[in-house]
Amino acid sequence: LRLARELLTMHVLLGLLLVAFSSASAFAPLSTPVQSNAVRAGGSSAVLSLRAQQQTANKNAFPDFATLSKVAAEVGNALQYTIQQPQRVRYAAAMTARFSYFLSQGVGVALSGINEGSQKQQPDTPTTQAATRSLDPVAIVGALADAILSDTAPTDYSTSTLRNVKMAEQPLLENTEQRSLFAKNFQAIVGVIKSDLQNVEDGKYKFPYDLELSYAPQWSPAPVLSQLNIYLDERAKVIDRMYKKDGFEMRRNLKVSKGKYPQYYLQNFHYQSDGWLSARSATIYDYQVESLFLGMADAMRRQVLPHFTSHVRSLKNSGRVESDIKILDVATGTGRFASFMLDNFPALKLDALDLSPFYLAASKKLLNKYKGVTYVEAAAEDVPSKDKSYDIVTCVYLFHELPQTIRSKVVKEWFRVLKPGGKVYFVDSAQEGEVPYDRVLEGFTIIAHEPYYINYTKQDLVKLFQDEGFTVDTTEVHWVSKCLVATKPLHDVTPESAAVEPQLVDATK
């Protein structure tokens, strides 16, 4: 509890600069294209999972008065833009609070020493170096200023190119490299926020329900402090498990009937307690993911929604009744993405599929007000539905935790259960070559138990879908997430088509 109070105090201390960043960068007029493909989750989470910097000589300089004056001017311009519409004010207030909370939490956890584990003294290995390498708080402050000024007065840090060297060659980042890495992350976060707000203003989807200050699970102090307390307790256990490289603890501690779950599933992914098979895991999942992505996970999920809502509206315009449109949400987890779909189209008929009964229970709690939802406990590669059952299949953050052979089986299964002309809306991690600093992909597999992740980052997803008969309509990269839209042809053909290149998103359009 004392640590929780200290973290909340830090939120207040960092608040002014974080508000300045969020207001000036994210809510400025959309005058320039947004570069959306920045570093993978390992870039932000790996950096924020570091311990506090203890060097006597700091190569970074705190922003000088002239820089802070420019920052203040940008904040003023952004506030003028924001107050023009009440909806912008609501969005800006919620997203500023959300980003500020999770960034300051990450810094606070690093400063507290939690990331050193319960034993504190650990052998010097690539794993411990990746998990506890030094974090320079001044680098974060400087990077916030760099990101605020990236459009009007780019700095050396916001425009620099980071060297892609292996972790073994350079396990520690220099202070200036940390600042550049943070700056690139923050610029990409701005891109996600701008795109999210523009989508709302353009009517592509509703104002997100979870950004309403009346949404108690996210904004009331009691549930937030409860989640923080569980997160801090779990974080220490994750670090200890990581030092031991013990990603299979649950196989020793959990007794299940033979064949009930595939072997690839019975692992402590992220070194998380119980893997995906406990109520506690399901309770803390969304909070952990938002901590990993600095409060941007929901916004990144929503970037595929414009494609989804456009298709549903076209089906309705063609005469389909909303309640007759059937969706399969694969690996629904806690039902988070399903909740955004149903918030926009509450009468949809949706099958929420997940292999974990505990996560299905959590999704049922979130989605209980929607009458058309059915809960399906099954593996993604073995959907218990007839051929041509669904109009749409959705899947968020699953493929990077599947072996390559299983990914192929899953896509084949989607092709089977989709109606001709049906659509797939897919979101997962960005891949190799879509981030400016590929070594963070390697770093993520060190600090998190992700045995299939590197293979995923190298796989050609477009070819994977095309090989199973799909036509790939588009792919996009938004910060550290990638979305893909694919269509099952109306007729049984497998067209030979060129690979679709991931597109940067221009938030001005």
Side-chain angles (χ1 to χ4, degrees):
L1 290 177
R2 185 175 68 181
L3 178 57
R5 288 195 297 270
E6 291 174 353
L7 291 176
L8 289 175
T9 301
M10 180 167 293
H11 295 163
V12 176
L13 296 175
L14 289 177
L16 290 176
L17 185 55
L18 295 171
V19 168
F21 162 71
S22 298
S23 300
S25 297
F27 307 112
L30 303 178
S31 58
T32 58
V34 177
Q35 298 291 319
S36 298
N37 61 335
V39 289
R40 164 67 172 99
S44 60
S45 65
V47 174
L48 287 180
S49 67
L50 315 179
R51 65 170 178 248
Q53 177 72 302
Q54 300 295 329
Q55 293 182 201
T56 56
N58 193 336
K59 297 180 182 178
N60 274 323
F62 194 87
D64 58 22
F65 179 78
T67 300
L68 293 177
S69 297
K70 293 178 183 177
V71 168
E74 289 296 312
V75 171
N77 293 335
L79 290 177
Q80 290 181 13
Y81 172 77
T82 302
I83 63 176
Q84 291 174 10
Q85 295 185 17
Q87 185 169 251
R88 286 179 192 162
V89 175
R90 290 162 58 210
Y91 185 91
M95 289 302 282
T96 296
R98 190 173 178 136
F99 172 78
S100 302
Y101 176 88
F102 284 107
L103 177 59
S104 54
Q105 172 190 272
V107 175
V109 167
L111 292 171
S112 71
I114 288 177
N115 289 323
E116 296 180 29
S118 62
Q119 298 182 19
K120 301 300 179 182
Q121 298 297 323
Q122 301 291 344
D124 189 27
T125 68
T127 298
T128 58
Q129 290 174 340
T132 63
R133 61 184 185 268
S134 298
L135 170 69
D136 179 12
V138 176
I140 299 176
V141 175
L144 287 168
D146 296 334
I148 291 173
L149 300 175
S150 61
D151 284 344
T152 58
T155 67
D156 291 340
Y157 298 101
S158 63
T159 59
S160 65
T161 300
L162 297 169
R163 296 182 302 118
N164 274 314
V165 295
K166 296 289 186 181
M167 295 290 295
E169 297 176 42
Q170 186 188 353
L172 306 180
L173 288 176
E174 297 292 338
N175 304 54
T176 53
E177 291 174 313
Q178 286 189 30
R179 179 166 171 176
S180 294
L181 182 59
F182 273 115
K184 292 178 187 298
N185 274 278
F186 294 151
Q187 290 171 54
I189 287 172
V190 168
V192 173
I193 294 175
K194 283 185 175 181
S195 180
D196 197 34
L197 176 58
Q198 193 67 52
N199 288 336
V200 171
E201 292 188 343
D202 291 345
K204 294 180 179 179
Y205 46 80
K206 290 176 58 177
F207 189 93
Y209 71 88
D210 65 319
L211 297 186
E212 297 286 5
L213 298 182
S214 60
Y215 184 63
Q218 183 162 291
W219 300 104
S220 297
V224 172
L225 284 172
S226 175
Q227 292 278 297
L228 173 61
N229 187 48
I230 298 173
Y231 171 77
L232 294 175
D233 177 65
E234 175 64 17
R235 183 67 187 163
K237 295 176 181 177
V238 165
I239 292 296
D240 286 345
R241 209 170 280 119
M242 181 200 70
Y243 285 138
K244 299 174 185 176
K245 296 184 179 181
D246 189 0
F248 301 98
E249 178 188 80
M250 65 176 300
R251 293 186 184 179
R252 300 190 301 273
N253 298 341
L254 179 68
K255 303 299 182 183
V256 297
S257 302
K258 185 176 181 180
K260 182 176 177 60
Y261 299 106
Q263 281 296 102
Y264 72 78
Y265 187 74
L266 296 174
Q267 302 188 51
N268 297 82
F269 289 101
H270 304 181
Y271 291 114
Q272 178 172 291
S273 298
D274 309 318
W276 309 127
L277 291 174
S278 74
R280 188 176 188 270
S281 171
T283 298
I284 195 60
Y285 175 79
D286 287 319
Y287 190 95
Q288 286 179 320
V289 172
E290 291 296 352
S291 297
L292 183 70
F293 293 123
L294 302 181
M296 296 296 121
D298 280 340
M300 287 192 293
R301 289 184 181 106
R302 288 193 293 265
Q303 297 318 295
V304 80
L305 269 183
H307 302 287
F308 171 83
T309 58
S310 176
H311 181 57
V312 172
R313 287 166 183 164
S314 70
L315 290 176
K316 293 175 66 175
N317 290 339
S318 70
R320 295 284 300 277
V321 178
E322 185 172 306
S323 58
D324 288 337
I325 300 172
K326 193 167 183 181
I327 316 293
L328 174 65
D329 188 37
V330 178
T332 194
T334 62
R336 196 71 174 179
F337 184 69
S339 72
F340 291 122
M341 291 190 286
L342 292 168
D343 190 40
N344 284 271
F345 303 102
L348 290 174
K349 189 173 292 184
L350 185 141
D351 285 357
L353 181 147
D354 203 279
L355 196 49
S356 170
F358 302 99
Y359 277 74
L360 282 177
S363 69
K364 188 173 185 178
K365 183 177 179 181
L366 179 64
L367 306 176
N368 63 353
K369 69 177 181 178
Y370 300 107
K371 304 306 179 184
V373 182
T374 301
Y375 302 90
V376 183
E377 185 179 341
E381 65 270 26
D382 189 18
V383 179
S385 299
K386 296 179 180 179
D387 295 358
K388 304 176 183 178
S389 297
Y390 299 99
D391 297 286
I392 294 171
V393 170
T394 58
C395 182
V396 177
Y397 296 145
L398 169 67
F399 269 35
H400 70 279
E401 292 184 346
L402 297 178
Q404 184 170 341
T405 55
I406 302 299
R407 289 179 219 134
S408 297
K409 291 180 180 180
V410 171
V411 177
K412 185 185 293 292
E413 189 74 340
W414 292 351
F415 194 88
R416 179 184 70 81
V417 300
L418 270 175
K419 299 174 183 178
K423 297 274 191 179
V424 172
Y425 298 97
F426 169 98
V427 179
D428 213 296
S429 165
Q431 297 182 285
E432 187 177 74
E434 296 170 350
V435 297
Y437 201 33
D438 279 342
R439 93 172 202 145
V440 300
L441 305 178
E442 177 191 1
F444 184 60
T445 64
I446 293 176
I447 67 166
H449 180 64
E450 289 286 359
Y452 313 116
Y453 179 71
I454 289 297
N455 175 270
Y456 162 82
T457 65
K458 297 177 183 295
Q459 185 171 19
D460 185 339
L461 290 180
V462 170
K463 185 177 185 301
L464 171 63
F465 278 82
Q466 289 175 341
D467 285 349
E468 300 304 334
F470 284 99
T471 299
V472 175
D473 303 334
T474 187
T475 67
E476 299 171 357
V477 177
H478 299 269
W479 186 26
V480 296
S481 290
K482 177 175 187 171
C483 67
L484 177 149
V485 180
T487 303
K488 179 177 179 177
L490 289 170
H491 307 288
D492 293 332
V493 294
T494 54
E496 295 291 335
S497 56
V500 178
E501 294 294 332
Q503 301 295 313
L504 297 182
V505 175
D506 185 346
T508 63
K509 296 182 179 179

